[in-house]
Amino acid sequence: MENMAEEELLPLEKEEVEVAQVQVPTPARDSAGVPAAAPDSALDSAPTPASAPAPAPAPAQAPALSPSLASAPEEAKSKRHISIQRQLADLEKLAFVTEGNFDCASSLNSDNLDAGNRQACPLCPKEKFRACNSHKLRRHLQNLHWKVSVEFEGYRMCICHLPCRPVKPNIIGEQISSKMGAHYHCIICSATITRRTDMLGHVRRHMNKGETKSSYTAASTAKPPKEILKEADTDVQVCPNYSIPQKTDSYFNPKMKLNRQLIFCTLAALAEERKPLECLDAFGATGIMGLQWAKHLGNAVKVTINDLNENSVTLIQENCHLNKLKVVVDSKEKEKSDDILEEGEKNLGNVKVTKMDANVLMHLRSFDFIHLDPFGTSVNYLDSAFRNIRNLGIVSVTSTDISSLYAKAQHVARRHYGCNIVRTEYYKELAARIVVAAVARAAARCNKGIEVLFAVALEHFVLVVVRVLRGPTSADETAKKIQYLIHCQWCEERIFQKDGNMVEENPYRQLPCNCHGSMPGKTAIELGPLWSSSLFNTGFLKRMLFESLHHGLDDIQTLIKTLIFESECTPQSQFSIHAPSNLNKQEENGVFIKTTDDTTTDNYIAQGKRKSNEIITNLGKKQKTDVSTEHPPFYYNIHRHSIKGMNMPKLKKFLCYLSQAGFRVSRTHFDPMGVRTDAPLMQFKSILLKYSTPTYTGGQSESHVQSASEDTVTERVEMSVNDKAEASGCRRW
């Protein structure tokens, strides 16, 4: 029996010898890393039957250490990557140990010996760099890895091509392909950085913070706990680096709080028309928006939160449990949801969480309210959103591709939206009209029309909310509102191109300015196609204001009031909110509602799912009669058109002066110094000059300035415009 036991141990000893030959770069070995010492150390430490399982944990620590760093016990604790070396010779010695795969014992150097003393690169996979002779390997290591390394305190962080940092997978058809990219391993925090310039900045930030010790490395390797944030009485659990989209799957932007509150008020106003509503948050991320809907609106809404990322779906489910909401997955309630609830508490509502592509989900199901907020442009999801949206439903679109919409990347705007734009003084409203035009074209392709409820363009996002009107007649009316804009490059005057079948010889003569006659060459360009109709619905905005007061959302009340002023094009002093009084039956966008005369109450009831032909005819007549009451398109910046050498009046006083002159005027949320008015640019400058004081007089009375005749003022404005045009020998843009 003893002989049989010894015979059974023989193959085991051979395996242990082979494993010991692979495990050269361990802290107990010599820092030289010579492969000849490996068999001796392995034979000396040959396992006995009682200690055979002991060397098993050793291979797990080998890949993290390099031979040049194994001699120091303090450096061994930091577990630096093999791409971090002191000298090029230390990097070459790794080729004699293994071909770059430390996790597999079959990658023994004996394979290289059988191949004719050919070594493989330790920092490149076999598919990218095959085994070669020593002089070719040395040249490869020096030119590709060592020259582009980053130096820090005597160490070199060489570029690594191993599959240590997989790129986010790309879905191609039904297959998921992931690419491996070149990267650097940080010597301090073990982070992986792709670009060398980013790596230099990364190390510099560590040095500025004083984080250069190995103790910081051990602390940074621990997974930080998740943080819990609270917004609008809704708790949400976020991942580390939640505000950096490149470092997390579940992106949460605290700056979008205003956007989320606007969408919540929109849904709350729609929920008063008909209940229950089937709502979709197509890109959930952390699920904060859908959780607010379900928690504050209760049984009035049936919320569906969707995300394609599996980690985001898991985080959404955890946030639902955190807010005492039941999670419904594939029409089955999770059993664990009841266990999480505390005694005496009830579920606030149900939330359905799906893991699906947004286009597929919107094709499969019908919704009353759809919100699209992808990271960037949303044009890829508009066709699917309008495919199954119910009649009189609402589609809200948030676009964060600011560089293209604000004319910083004009070629991207032409590719995504099919629009030709330039940088103008009214570029934010131009961006809003671009998005509305894209939404209108997508709706028209599905035989649906839209009615814009409001459009907001702030510093970091553009939000467009539209109501869907089903039918080819509404689609035709919507398509007619997409027009081109004629923009003067000299004086910034603009006007929508008139409809007509005949081709004009010079369409730029439609501009009210005289730049095309006084300036040689082409002075104006065509922008668009753009949405040419109204951007705001006054009645719906007043209901949103009431919902914001009802739910205590104080942050957006000022913005909604500004939108109401802008939609009516009236100064703020003429606006007031009255208490609900007599109820009258009115019609808004084909929906019969019960409201007061100023439509500020929340008691309105929708009747009917589909409009009859008579209602459509009446709605068309109403839209034709209300064209004159729509707010004028675009606005003027008072600083942009100020006269040199003159002190312009205060903005509030200037609004009063324009209103006294008989023009409609209001402020705009697009620009804090913008003035929305139906006055032509010539009259705008004339009134601005009339009430401006010369700088050199130092406080000249306004009455003396007003004594000048209007003809003289007009001539001075024209002379200032001509002087600017002659001074600049090229176009403005």
Side-chain angles (χ1 to χ4, degrees), residues 563-645:
L563 295 178
I564 296 175
F565 306 148
E566 195 171 357
S567 63
E568 297 178 343
C569 200
T570 55
Q572 298 183 8
S573 58
Q574 301 180 9
F575 178 79
S576 62
I577 303 177
H578 303 286
S581 57
N582 297 329
L583 297 177
N584 297 325
K585 192 174 182 180
Q586 297 182 359
E587 180 189 354
E588 178 185 334
N589 298 329
V591 182
F592 289 102
I593 59 176
K594 288 184 179 180
T595 178
T596 57
D597 295 336
D598 55 356
T599 64
T600 57
T601 184
D602 61 332
N603 298 322
Y604 43 89
I605 303 173
Q607 298 180 359
K609 295 184 178 180
R610 190 177 181 89
K611 302 187 300 294
S612 62
N613 295 330
E614 183 179 357
I615 295 177
I616 294 176
T617 305
N618 296 334
L619 181 61
K621 292 180 180 180
K622 181 182 177 182
Q623 290 177 352
K624 290 181 180 179
T625 57
D626 292 346
V627 170
S628 59
T629 60
E630 291 182 357
H631 63 84
F634 302 110
Y635 54 89
Y636 301 105
N637 187 287
I638 188 173
H639 284 295
R640 166 68 179 80
H641 299 285
S642 61
I643 309 301
K644 185 177 181 180

XYZ file of all heavy atoms in Angstrom, residues 563-645:
668
model
N -42.244 81.593 -18.484
C -42.773 80.980 -19.696
C -44.181 81.485 -20.005
O -44.535 81.660 -21.180
C -42.779 79.460 -19.545
C -41.427 78.757 -19.407
C -41.616 77.262 -19.225
C -40.543 79.036 -20.607
N -44.984 81.722 -18.985
C -46.334 82.254 -19.205
C -46.269 83.674 -19.750
O -47.001 84.042 -20.684
C -47.145 82.186 -17.904
C -47.353 80.725 -17.483
C -48.498 82.880 -18.067
C -48.031 80.565 -16.146
N -45.383 84.518 -19.189
C -45.207 85.869 -19.733
C -44.777 85.802 -21.186
O -45.245 86.565 -22.035
C -44.150 86.639 -18.934
C -44.407 86.686 -17.464
C -43.346 86.712 -16.568
C -45.696 86.707 -16.964
C -43.576 86.756 -15.203
C -45.933 86.748 -15.604
C -44.871 86.777 -14.722
N -43.868 84.880 -21.461
C -43.321 84.768 -22.807
C -44.367 84.267 -23.794
O -44.378 84.680 -24.960
C -42.110 83.829 -22.784
C -41.232 83.893 -24.002
C -39.945 83.118 -23.816
O -39.737 82.581 -22.707
O -39.160 83.040 -24.777
N -45.233 83.357 -23.358
C -46.258 82.833 -24.257
C -47.305 83.888 -24.586
O -47.821 83.941 -25.706
C -46.934 81.618 -23.613
O -47.605 81.985 -22.418
N -47.643 84.737 -23.619
C -48.598 85.813 -23.858
C -47.955 87.070 -24.394
O -48.648 87.971 -24.869
C -49.333 86.148 -22.552
C -50.178 85.001 -22.012
C -50.851 85.340 -20.706
O -50.408 86.340 -20.070
O -51.798 84.648 -20.325
N -46.615 87.133 -24.306
C -45.835 88.303 -24.735
C -46.363 89.564 -24.051
O -46.703 90.565 -24.686
C -45.869 88.457 -26.257
S -44.526 89.484 -26.912
N -46.414 89.512 -22.744
C -46.870 90.634 -21.929
C -45.854 90.863 -20.818
O -45.175 89.926 -20.377
C -48.247 90.343 -21.301
O -48.180 89.115 -20.569
C -49.319 90.247 -22.372
N -45.737 92.090 -20.329
C -44.829 92.332 -19.198
C -45.293 91.603 -17.946
O -46.456 91.228 -17.806
C -44.881 93.854 -19.022
C -45.372 94.374 -20.329
C -46.290 93.329 -20.876
N -44.392 91.419 -17.012
C -44.704 90.666 -15.805
C -45.689 91.401 -14.904
O -46.410 90.771 -14.131
C -43.421 90.373 -15.024
C -42.433 89.526 -15.790
C -41.210 89.199 -14.961
O -41.170 89.486 -13.769
N -40.217 88.595 -15.591
N -45.749 92.709 -14.998
C -46.640 93.467 -14.123
C -48.111 93.217 -14.441
O -48.975 93.441 -13.595
C -46.353 94.964 -14.262
O -46.521 95.375 -15.619
N -48.421 92.706 -15.640
C -49.799 92.474 -16.022
C -50.273 91.071 -15.690
O -51.376 90.690 -16.057
C -49.972 92.710 -17.530
C -49.606 94.109 -17.969
C -49.794 94.309 -19.457
O -50.347 93.449 -20.140
N -49.329 95.451 -19.953
N -49.436 90.279 -15.042
C -49.783 88.881 -14.764
C -50.220 88.743 -13.318
O -49.619 89.320 -12.415
C -48.576 87.980 -15.023
C -48.853 86.530 -14.721
C -49.556 85.748 -15.610
C -48.409 85.965 -13.540
C -49.799 84.419 -15.344
C -48.658 84.642 -13.253
C -49.357 83.865 -14.161
N -51.269 87.961 -13.090
C -51.740 87.692 -11.735
C -52.453 86.361 -11.730
O -53.077 85.964 -12.719
C -52.681 88.801 -11.248
O -53.835 88.861 -12.065
N -52.390 85.659 -10.594
C -53.042 84.365 -10.423
C -54.267 84.566 -9.549
O -54.156 85.030 -8.410
C -52.084 83.347 -9.772
C -50.821 83.213 -10.614
C -52.754 81.996 -9.612
C -49.807 82.293 -10.017
N -55.416 84.227 -10.078
C -56.655 84.381 -9.338
C -57.075 83.041 -8.758
O -56.721 81.987 -9.239
C -57.754 84.929 -10.254
C -57.389 86.226 -10.908
N -57.367 87.430 -10.229
C -57.004 86.510 -12.184
C -57.014 88.401 -11.048
N -56.785 87.868 -12.247
N -57.874 83.095 -7.749
C -58.399 81.879 -7.144
C -59.453 81.280 -8.056
O -60.078 81.976 -8.856
C -58.999 82.196 -5.777
N -59.691 79.965 -7.971
C -60.706 79.342 -8.815
C -62.073 79.949 -8.554
O -62.509 80.100 -7.424
C -60.651 77.862 -8.399
C -59.288 77.689 -7.827
C -58.949 78.983 -7.182
N -62.740 80.314 -9.653
C -64.055 80.934 -9.548
C -65.057 80.127 -10.350
O -65.157 78.923 -10.174
C -63.973 82.386 -10.030
O -63.477 82.434 -11.367
N -65.814 80.761 -11.224
C -66.836 80.056 -11.978
C -66.210 79.107 -12.983
O -65.264 79.471 -13.691
C -67.725 81.068 -12.710
C -68.460 81.963 -11.742
O -68.778 81.528 -10.630
N -68.717 83.210 -12.136
N -66.732 77.901 -13.071
C -66.228 76.901 -13.985
C -66.937 77.030 -15.319
O -68.163 77.101 -15.378
C -66.452 75.499 -13.401
C -65.704 75.212 -12.101
C -66.076 73.835 -11.597
C -64.218 75.342 -12.290
N -66.171 77.052 -16.377
C -66.711 77.115 -17.721
C -66.122 75.985 -18.541
O -64.966 75.610 -18.366
C -66.380 78.460 -18.386
C -67.011 79.622 -17.659
O -68.116 79.489 -17.145
N -66.300 80.741 -17.598
N -66.908 75.479 -19.460
C -66.469 74.368 -20.302
C -65.764 74.933 -21.521
O -66.352 75.676 -22.302
C -67.680 73.528 -20.720
C -67.328 72.193 -21.341
C -68.578 71.380 -21.593
C -68.230 70.025 -22.172
N -69.451 69.220 -22.434
N -64.483 74.582 -21.669
C -63.686 75.085 -22.780
C -63.013 73.923 -23.487
O -62.988 72.800 -22.991
C -62.622 76.080 -22.293
C -63.219 77.337 -21.667
C -62.151 78.302 -21.242
O -60.961 78.041 -21.394
N -62.563 79.437 -20.711
N -62.449 74.225 -24.642
C -61.761 73.219 -25.445
C -60.318 73.648 -25.645
O -60.050 74.794 -25.997
C -62.441 73.052 -26.805
C -61.760 72.016 -27.693
C -62.323 72.019 -29.101
O -63.302 72.732 -29.337
O -61.765 71.313 -29.958
N -59.391 72.718 -25.407
C -57.967 72.988 -25.611
C -57.344 71.798 -26.300
O -57.293 70.698 -25.753
C -57.272 73.235 -24.273
C -55.784 73.483 -24.422
C -55.118 73.604 -23.072
O -55.804 73.979 -22.113
O -53.926 73.300 -22.980
N -56.901 72.005 -27.538
C -56.283 70.933 -28.321
C -57.219 69.734 -28.485
O -56.803 68.581 -28.429
C -54.969 70.460 -27.678
C -53.961 71.573 -27.616
O -53.958 72.453 -28.470
N -53.121 71.560 -26.603
N -58.512 70.002 -28.679
C -59.446 68.915 -28.863
C -59.889 68.249 -27.580
O -60.597 67.255 -27.610
N -59.475 68.768 -26.414
C -59.833 68.187 -25.119
C -60.799 69.133 -24.428
O -60.498 70.306 -24.237
C -58.580 67.961 -24.247
C -58.966 67.323 -22.937
C -57.577 67.108 -24.987
N -61.983 68.644 -24.062
C -62.940 69.439 -23.320
C -62.538 69.418 -21.854
O -62.395 68.362 -21.251
C -64.354 68.893 -23.500
C -64.898 69.129 -24.878
C -64.913 68.097 -25.803
C -65.367 70.376 -25.263
C -65.407 68.307 -27.072
C -65.859 70.587 -26.535
C -65.886 69.557 -27.445
N -62.374 70.597 -21.273
C -61.929 70.701 -19.889
C -62.866 71.623 -19.129
O -63.565 72.456 -19.715
C -60.485 71.245 -19.790
C -60.401 72.630 -20.435
C -59.508 70.307 -20.442
C -59.059 73.271 -20.308
N -62.925 71.446 -17.827
C -63.635 72.339 -16.936
C -62.613 73.205 -16.238
O -61.773 72.706 -15.498
C -64.454 71.554 -15.910
C -65.678 70.869 -16.493
C -66.481 70.203 -15.401
C -67.725 69.542 -15.975
N -68.526 68.881 -14.915
N -62.671 74.497 -16.459
C -61.646 75.379 -15.928
C -62.255 76.757 -15.727
O -63.397 77.023 -16.119
C -60.441 75.458 -16.874
O -59.495 76.363 -16.339
C -60.845 75.927 -18.252
N -61.486 77.643 -15.133
C -61.930 79.014 -14.958
C -61.629 79.808 -16.206
O -61.116 79.300 -17.193
C -61.221 79.638 -13.749
O -59.822 79.544 -13.959
C -61.584 78.895 -12.489
N -61.935 81.108 -16.145
C -61.707 81.953 -17.308
C -60.231 82.052 -17.650
O -59.850 82.160 -18.807
C -62.276 83.361 -17.052
C -63.796 83.312 -16.906
O -64.398 82.360 -17.438
O -64.349 84.218 -16.247
N -59.356 82.057 -16.642
C -57.931 82.127 -16.889
C -57.257 80.769 -16.828
O -56.032 80.692 -16.799
C -57.246 83.075 -15.881
C -57.546 82.674 -14.449
O -58.332 81.726 -14.254
O -56.988 83.324 -13.550
N -58.049 79.667 -16.787
C -57.535 78.286 -16.836
C -56.466 78.044 -15.797
O -55.372 77.590 -16.105
C -56.988 77.966 -18.234
O -55.864 78.811 -18.480
C -58.035 78.129 -19.300
N -56.755 78.372 -14.534
C -55.772 78.165 -13.483
C -56.209 77.135 -12.460
O -55.545 76.992 -11.433
C -55.506 79.491 -12.752
O -56.745 79.983 -12.241
C -54.897 80.505 -13.682
N -57.319 76.450 -12.673
C -57.757 75.457 -11.708
C -57.383 74.070 -12.177
O -57.029 73.865 -13.330
C -59.281 75.552 -11.498
O -59.659 74.635 -10.489
C -60.026 75.195 -12.766
N -57.476 73.129 -11.269
C -57.104 71.761 -11.606
C -58.311 70.881 -11.890
O -58.154 69.680 -12.085
C -56.318 71.139 -10.449
C -57.169 71.092 -9.192
O -58.059 71.936 -9.047
O -56.912 70.217 -8.352
N -59.522 71.432 -11.906
C -60.719 70.632 -12.139
C -61.054 70.641 -13.623
O -61.773 71.508 -14.114
C -61.911 71.195 -11.343
C -61.653 71.147 -9.862
O -61.049 70.184 -9.389
N -62.090 72.160 -9.136
N -60.462 69.731 -14.353
C -60.758 69.604 -15.770
C -60.835 68.128 -16.098
O -60.090 67.316 -15.580
C -59.731 70.310 -16.654
C -58.323 70.122 -16.246
C -57.558 69.049 -16.707
C -57.735 71.017 -15.368
C -56.268 68.880 -16.309
C -56.434 70.844 -14.968
C -55.710 69.778 -15.448
O -54.412 69.617 -15.055
N -61.764 67.790 -16.965
C -62.041 66.401 -17.285
C -61.991 66.242 -18.788
O -62.627 66.999 -19.523
C -63.427 65.976 -16.762
C -63.515 66.221 -15.247
C -63.707 64.518 -17.091
C -64.896 65.979 -14.700
N -61.248 65.272 -19.249
C -61.171 64.987 -20.682
C -62.352 64.110 -21.073
O -62.723 63.203 -20.352
C -59.863 64.278 -21.006
N -62.933 64.389 -22.198
C -64.057 63.612 -22.690
C -63.736 63.132 -24.095
O -63.449 63.926 -24.972
C -65.333 64.459 -22.720
C -65.766 64.949 -21.338
C -67.033 65.774 -21.419
O -67.560 65.986 -22.499
N -67.506 66.235 -20.278
N -63.799 61.816 -24.272
C -63.585 61.256 -25.597
C -62.140 60.935 -25.840
O -61.240 61.631 -25.386
N -61.908 59.844 -26.567
C -60.552 59.434 -26.897
C -60.137 59.891 -28.283
O -58.964 59.985 -28.573
C -60.426 57.908 -26.808
C -60.611 57.354 -25.401
C -60.388 55.862 -25.370
C -60.525 55.318 -23.961
N -60.319 53.853 -23.917
N -61.104 60.133 -29.158
C -60.771 60.503 -30.524
C -61.671 61.653 -30.953
O -62.877 61.642 -30.729
C -60.950 59.307 -31.461
C -60.394 59.541 -32.860
C -60.541 58.274 -33.696
N -60.004 58.452 -35.023
C -58.743 58.216 -35.346
N -57.921 57.802 -34.420
N -58.308 58.398 -36.558
N -61.136 62.668 -31.585
C -61.906 63.817 -31.998
C -62.734 63.484 -33.222
O -62.286 62.775 -34.123
C -60.969 64.987 -32.309
C -60.088 65.399 -31.164
C -59.338 66.651 -31.489
C -58.466 66.467 -32.702
N -57.401 65.505 -32.468
N -63.915 64.044 -33.280
C -64.748 63.876 -34.460
C -64.327 64.866 -35.535
O -63.516 65.761 -35.312
C -66.223 64.084 -34.096
O -66.411 65.417 -33.612
N -64.904 64.699 -36.729
C -64.553 65.610 -37.827
C -64.973 67.039 -37.518
O -64.304 68.002 -37.912
C -65.208 65.124 -39.118
C -64.665 63.782 -39.546
O -63.510 63.465 -39.264
N -65.473 62.991 -40.230
N -66.100 67.198 -36.800
C -66.564 68.544 -36.462
C -65.603 69.239 -35.510
O -65.299 70.429 -35.659
C -67.946 68.452 -35.837
C -68.554 69.815 -35.512
C -69.930 69.677 -34.906
O -70.413 68.520 -34.803
O -70.512 70.712 -34.546
N -65.079 68.476 -34.540
C -64.132 69.066 -33.588
C -62.844 69.449 -34.293
O -62.250 70.494 -34.012
C -63.871 68.080 -32.439
C -65.160 67.866 -31.634
C -62.770 68.591 -31.527
C -65.015 66.847 -30.531
N -62.395 68.599 -35.224
C -61.166 68.908 -35.963
C -61.343 70.172 -36.782
O -60.454 71.026 -36.867
C -60.780 67.716 -36.859
C -60.406 66.512 -35.988
C -59.636 68.078 -37.767
C -60.102 65.270 -36.789
N -62.515 70.346 -37.410
C -62.776 71.549 -38.192
C -62.786 72.790 -37.310
O -62.200 73.823 -37.655
C -64.111 71.402 -38.925
O -64.091 70.204 -39.712
C -64.361 72.599 -39.834
N -63.456 72.676 -36.160
C -63.488 73.809 -35.240
C -62.108 74.138 -34.707
O -61.766 75.307 -34.514
C -64.435 73.517 -34.080
C -65.877 73.350 -34.536
O -66.262 73.891 -35.576
N -66.667 72.596 -33.773
N -61.309 73.089 -34.450
C -59.957 73.323 -33.958
C -59.109 74.020 -35.006
O -58.311 74.900 -34.698
C -59.314 71.993 -33.545
C -57.893 72.076 -32.977
C -57.887 72.922 -31.715
C -57.364 70.681 -32.679
N -59.288 73.623 -36.287
C -58.535 74.277 -37.348
C -58.908 75.738 -37.490
O -58.055 76.600 -37.711
N -60.241 76.060 -37.373
C -60.657 77.450 -37.445
C -60.112 78.250 -36.279
O -59.717 79.411 -36.423
C -62.181 77.524 -37.443
C -62.820 76.952 -38.709
C -64.329 77.059 -38.641
C -64.973 76.487 -39.914
N -66.456 76.578 -39.859
N -60.055 77.587 -35.090
C -59.540 78.283 -33.912
C -58.049 78.588 -34.053
O -57.577 79.657 -33.669
C -59.790 77.433 -32.666
C -59.297 78.081 -31.372
C -59.542 77.152 -30.197
C -58.985 77.776 -28.925
N -59.160 76.887 -27.757
N -57.309 77.653 -34.640
C -55.886 77.880 -34.821
C -55.632 79.009 -35.811
O -54.690 79.780 -35.667
C -55.209 76.590 -35.284
C -55.148 75.512 -34.217
C -54.542 74.223 -34.745
O -54.305 74.085 -35.940
N -54.311 73.274 -33.852
N -56.485 79.115 -36.851
C -56.308 80.191 -37.820
C -56.589 81.551 -37.192
O -55.931 82.541 -37.504
C -57.231 79.963 -39.010
C -56.817 78.777 -39.878
C -57.748 78.610 -41.070
C -57.329 77.415 -41.925
N -58.234 77.214 -43.091
N -57.592 81.616 -36.312
C -57.915 82.893 -35.679
C -56.921 83.278 -34.600
O -56.793 84.458 -34.269
C -59.320 82.820 -35.054
O -59.356 81.729 -34.123
C -60.371 82.596 -36.131
N -56.208 82.269 -34.040
C -55.264 82.555 -32.958
C -53.849 82.797 -33.445
O -52.939 82.912 -32.639
C -55.248 81.394 -31.950
C -56.555 81.302 -31.191
O -57.326 82.268 -31.254
O -56.803 80.250 -30.550
N -53.660 82.847 -34.779
C -52.304 83.052 -35.287
C -51.778 84.411 -34.884
O -50.605 84.595 -34.553
C -52.290 82.871 -36.819
C -50.957 83.304 -37.399
C -52.570 81.414 -37.178
N -52.661 85.412 -34.894
C -52.224 86.761 -34.567
C -51.882 86.906 -33.091
O -51.126 87.797 -32.717
C -53.314 87.768 -34.942
O -54.515 87.468 -34.247
N -52.465 86.036 -32.239
C -52.213 86.134 -30.809
C -50.991 85.333 -30.378
O -50.641 85.359 -29.204
C -53.436 85.632 -30.032
O -53.691 84.260 -30.370
C -54.662 86.467 -30.370
N -50.369 84.590 -31.256
C -49.174 83.836 -30.889
C -48.032 84.788 -30.587
O -47.953 85.903 -31.121
C -48.779 82.882 -32.020
C -49.748 81.732 -32.233
C -49.264 80.799 -33.322
O -48.200 81.107 -33.926
O -49.929 79.785 -33.572
N -47.140 84.326 -29.756
C -45.990 85.158 -29.410
C -45.083 85.313 -30.621
O -44.952 84.387 -31.436
C -45.226 84.535 -28.244
C -44.648 83.195 -28.549
N -43.440 83.014 -29.185
C -45.125 81.942 -28.315
C -43.190 81.735 -29.319
N -44.203 81.059 -28.803
N -44.447 86.453 -30.804
C -43.555 86.642 -31.961
C -42.340 85.734 -31.853
O -41.831 85.466 -30.758
C -43.166 88.123 -31.863
C -43.405 88.498 -30.448
C -44.545 87.655 -29.974
N -41.850 85.225 -32.977
C -40.686 84.336 -32.923
C -39.402 85.108 -32.638
O -39.227 86.252 -33.070
C -40.665 83.715 -34.317
C -41.329 84.725 -35.192
C -42.363 85.394 -34.348
N -38.530 84.478 -31.880
C -37.181 84.970 -31.595
C -37.210 86.245 -30.758
O -38.275 86.742 -30.382
C -36.385 85.162 -32.878
C -36.266 83.897 -33.679
C -36.938 83.759 -34.891
C -35.524 82.836 -33.219
C -36.839 82.596 -35.623
C -35.420 81.667 -33.939
C -36.085 81.543 -35.149
N -36.029 86.747 -30.456
C -35.886 87.861 -29.534
C -34.629 88.628 -29.893
O -33.811 88.185 -30.725
C -35.804 87.358 -28.085
C -34.728 86.309 -27.858
C -33.427 86.656 -27.511
C -35.016 84.961 -28.004
C -32.450 85.708 -27.320
C -34.050 83.997 -27.813
C -32.768 84.374 -27.471
O -31.796 83.411 -27.292
N -34.456 89.792 -29.275
C -33.277 90.641 -29.468
C -32.562 90.799 -28.135
O -33.201 90.934 -27.085
C -33.658 92.020 -30.003
C -34.382 91.999 -31.324
C -35.752 92.239 -31.387
C -33.702 91.760 -32.509
C -36.424 92.231 -32.591
C -34.365 91.746 -33.724
C -35.724 91.972 -33.762
O -36.393 91.949 -34.960
N -31.240 90.798 -28.205
C -30.422 91.026 -27.020
C -30.128 92.515 -26.912
O -29.615 93.129 -27.858
C -29.121 90.218 -27.105
C -28.319 90.295 -25.826
O -27.722 91.310 -25.518
N -28.298 89.215 -25.070
N -30.452 93.084 -25.780
C -30.325 94.533 -25.636
C -28.866 94.969 -25.641
O -28.525 96.058 -26.120
C -31.047 94.997 -24.345
C -31.099 96.518 -24.262
C -30.402 94.401 -23.113
C -31.943 97.032 -23.115
N -27.953 94.121 -25.171
C -26.530 94.462 -25.201
C -25.973 94.357 -26.617
O -25.085 95.121 -26.994
C -25.757 93.537 -24.265
C -25.914 93.868 -22.813
N -25.458 95.039 -22.260
C -26.503 93.186 -21.799
C -25.736 95.063 -20.962
N -26.378 93.943 -20.661
N -26.486 93.411 -27.382
C -25.986 93.213 -28.746
C -26.290 94.425 -29.634
O -25.501 94.774 -30.514
C -26.613 91.941 -29.326
C -26.464 91.750 -30.818
C -25.020 91.496 -31.211
N -24.889 91.298 -32.643
C -24.852 92.270 -33.547
N -24.945 93.539 -33.140
N -24.734 92.004 -34.824
N -27.399 95.105 -29.400
C -27.823 96.203 -30.267
C -27.687 97.560 -29.587
O -28.305 98.534 -30.029
C -29.276 95.990 -30.699
C -29.491 94.732 -31.473
N -29.105 94.587 -32.793
C -30.037 93.545 -31.105
C -29.414 93.375 -33.220
N -29.980 92.720 -32.210
N -26.911 97.646 -28.533
C -26.682 98.939 -27.892
C -25.808 99.815 -28.781
O -25.005 99.320 -29.587
C -26.030 98.737 -26.528
O -24.772 98.095 -26.676
N -25.976 101.114 -28.657
C -25.244 102.084 -29.460
C -23.949 102.455 -28.743
O -23.939 102.686 -27.532
C -26.090 103.341 -29.721
C -27.469 102.940 -30.259
C -25.390 104.283 -30.697
C -27.416 102.150 -31.540
N -22.867 102.495 -29.489
C -21.572 102.824 -28.898
C -21.562 104.277 -28.433
O -21.983 105.182 -29.149
C -20.463 102.589 -29.929
C -19.071 102.782 -29.362
C -18.004 102.473 -30.408
C -16.609 102.638 -29.817
N -15.555 102.346 -30.819
N -21.084 104.488 -27.218
C -21.030 105.831 -26.655
C -22.305 106.264 -25.962
O -22.421 107.425 -25.577
